[in-house]
Amino acid sequence: MDSSKKINIIVDLTKLLVTILVACGLVVIVVFATSSDPMNAFFSFFVGPFTSARRIGNIVEAACPLMFTALAVLMIFGAGLFSMITEGAFFFGTLGALLVACGLSLPVGLHPFVALVVAGIFGALAAFFPAVLKMKWNVSEVVTSLMLNNIIQFFVLYCISYYLRDMSSSSLQSVPMLKTVRLAVLIPGTRIHFGVFLALLSCIFVYILLYKTTFGMKLRITGDNKIFANYSGIKAPSVMLMAQIVAGILAGVGGGAELLGMYTRFKWTASPGYGWTGIAVALLAKNNPLLVPFAALFIGYLNVGASIMARSSDVSSEVVQLIQGIIIFMIAAEALFGKWKQKMIVEATKKEEQMKKEAANV
């Protein structure tokens, strides 16, 4: 490993460690400022998620959808785009899975597979429109994706309310899904389902796609410099289109897996926000697919800890939203440790030049 890669790893790990310490420090400040029993709140937040197998399972369950959305964000950002369609693609994917879960009667093994395939297709459709608008007419993908997220959310809720709603219930929820569509539980005593395994496989798939295939090389070149990609013969618009479609598939499958693994019917009254949180996970993982599971588990740990703290103390669970915002700001801040990184590069270069001179003299 050359010196530049070593320096990048050292700086990235240091930034990650400092970010986590600042996030935890923020929890301490908020708890001391708002709680009448801070020690109970600290214990609930930091230790509470590990006090039982069920709560540990909750961390893994919370990380599962975040892995899918983080991988989708990673694909989009890797192509040099800033589309926010992951949230909409995830939610639209749940509708696709629900249609199969309630409308088709299939064997046990085949039913969830078909539902997840349809969820992926719905997610790809959601990502397709802002991608095409960007490719054909250079319309800002940020604007179109944000607008489409709202359209998708209300369209899904409209479909649930008027076509799939359980009229015997006083709340907004769909009719029950068929039992044959449920994803199998992997660990008894928890709700860790087969979707977690799919999420881990997706991390490996995205890593291979990005770093072991020609398409991945083209995508990374396009993300680094679109103009250079065009001059080198890469059809950058097509690569960017495919990156968003793959991202939509990942997010859509994530929505389907979350629905089929964690619920017996559709119960959301709004988009769950996994797409937005996926941005924090992708940034925390430094856009490395193999680090996404660890980043997702960390955010899942924060969410579970905040939920336990809100139930057992007088501190609101919204503290996690503050933490996630701080994480995004710090990870995205390229200037953080920039001078230290530059100093290390200069020193390493001088050392290499000195070694070359000594070798030449010998």
Side-chain angles (χ1 to χ4, degrees):
M1 184 183 297
D2 57 34
S3 59
S4 62
K5 288 184 178 180
K6 289 182 180 179
I7 291 171
N8 286 330
I9 291 174
I10 292 172
V11 173
D12 288 343
L13 288 176
T14 303
K15 183 188 289 189
L16 180 60
L17 178 61
V18 170
T19 300
I20 293 174
L21 290 176
V22 170
C24 294
L26 181 63
V27 175
V28 173
I29 294 173
V30 171
V31 168
F32 270 117
T34 60
S35 177
S36 59
D37 187 9
M39 298 310 298
N40 177 50
F42 288 145
F43 182 85
S44 299
F45 185 87
F46 291 109
V47 183
F50 302 109
T51 53
S52 69
R54 180 179 59 83
R55 287 180 172 177
I56 294 174
N58 290 339
I59 297 175
V60 179
E61 296 154 17
C64 180
L66 299 181
M67 282 190 270
F68 283 107
T69 55
L71 291 172
V73 169
L74 193 150
M75 288 292 299
I76 293 172
F77 286 6
L81 297 166
F82 295 95
S83 175
M84 303 294 154
I85 197 57
T86 306
E87 178 72 13
F90 183 94
F91 205 48
F92 206 39
T94 62
L95 177 61
L98 182 65
L99 291 174
V100 176
C102 297
L104 288 179
S105 180
L106 296 171
V108 175
L110 183 62
H111 204 174
F113 173 77
V114 173
L116 291 176
V117 169
V118 174
I121 293 172
F122 272 54
L125 286 173
F128 177 76
F129 291 103
V132 168
L133 290 174
K134 175 68 174 181
M135 184 180 72
K136 292 292 186 180
W137 297 287
N138 199 32
V139 180
S140 172
E141 71 275 15
V142 178
V143 176
T144 54
S145 60
L146 288 174
M147 294 176 64
L148 190 58
N149 281 337
N150 287 326
I151 294 172
I152 288 173
Q153 174 178 318
F154 291 114
F155 176 75
V156 171
L157 295 179
Y158 168 81
C159 291
I160 302 300
S161 298
Y162 289 93
Y163 299 102
L164 296 168
R165 183 171 183 172
D166 184 356
M167 293 302 179
S168 64
S169 175
S170 59
S171 60
L172 177 59
Q173 58 182 358
S174 73
V175 295
M177 297 184 293
L178 297 176
K179 293 182 180 180
T180 53
V181 82
R182 294 295 308 280
L183 293 178
V185 174
L186 298 179
I187 302 177
T190 70
R191 293 190 299 171
I192 299 175
H193 53 82
F194 187 72
V196 175
F197 179 69
L198 290 179
L200 294 174
L201 283 182
S202 297
C203 292
I204 298 173
F205 165 76
V206 172
Y207 175 81
I208 294 173
L209 181 66
L210 288 178
Y211 296 102
K212 304 296 181 180
T213 66
T214 303
F215 172 77
M217 180 191 67
K218 292 179 179 179
L219 186 147
R220 287 183 285 116
I221 292 173
T222 301
D224 290 337
N225 193 321
K226 180 182 175 182
I227 297 175
F228 174 79
N230 284 324
Y231 276 111
S232 62
I234 297 173
K235 296 180 179 179
S238 298
V239 172
M240 295 163 76
L241 173 65
M242 284 303 301
Q244 292 188 81
I245 290 176
V246 172
I249 292 173
L250 290 168
V253 171
E258 180 69 5
L259 180 68
L260 303 182
M262 297 294 292
Y263 300 91
T264 58
R265 61 178 77 203
F266 187 101
K267 295 183 178 181
W268 289 314
T269 56
S271 189
Y274 292 126
W276 308 121
T277 309
I279 297 175
V281 175
L283 291 174
L284 195 60
K286 298 300 296 180
N287 293 328
N288 185 335
L290 298 182
L291 296 181
V292 163
F294 302 101
L297 285 171
F298 175 70
I299 297 297
Y301 162 70
L302 293 181
N303 287 330
V304 173
S307 178
I308 296 171
M309 182 174 64
R311 294 195 304 267
S312 58
S313 71
D314 54 354
V315 180
S316 172
S317 61
E318 277 72 18
V319 65
V320 173
Q321 304 301 322
L322 294 174
I323 295 171
Q324 290 177 0
I326 294 296
I327 288 174
I328 291 175
F329 278 123
M330 293 191 66
I331 294 295
E334 293 295 333
L336 188 63
F337 299 117
K339 291 184 178 180
W340 179 47
K341 180 178 180 179
Q342 185 64 30
K343 183 179 179 181
M344 291 175 66
I345 292 174
V346 171
E347 290 178 352
T349 303
K350 289 180 178 179
K351 186 177 180 180
E352 288 179 0
E353 291 180 353
Q354 182 64 29
M355 292 175 63
K356 288 179 180 179
K357 288 180 181 178
E358 292 177 355
N361 291 333
V362 173

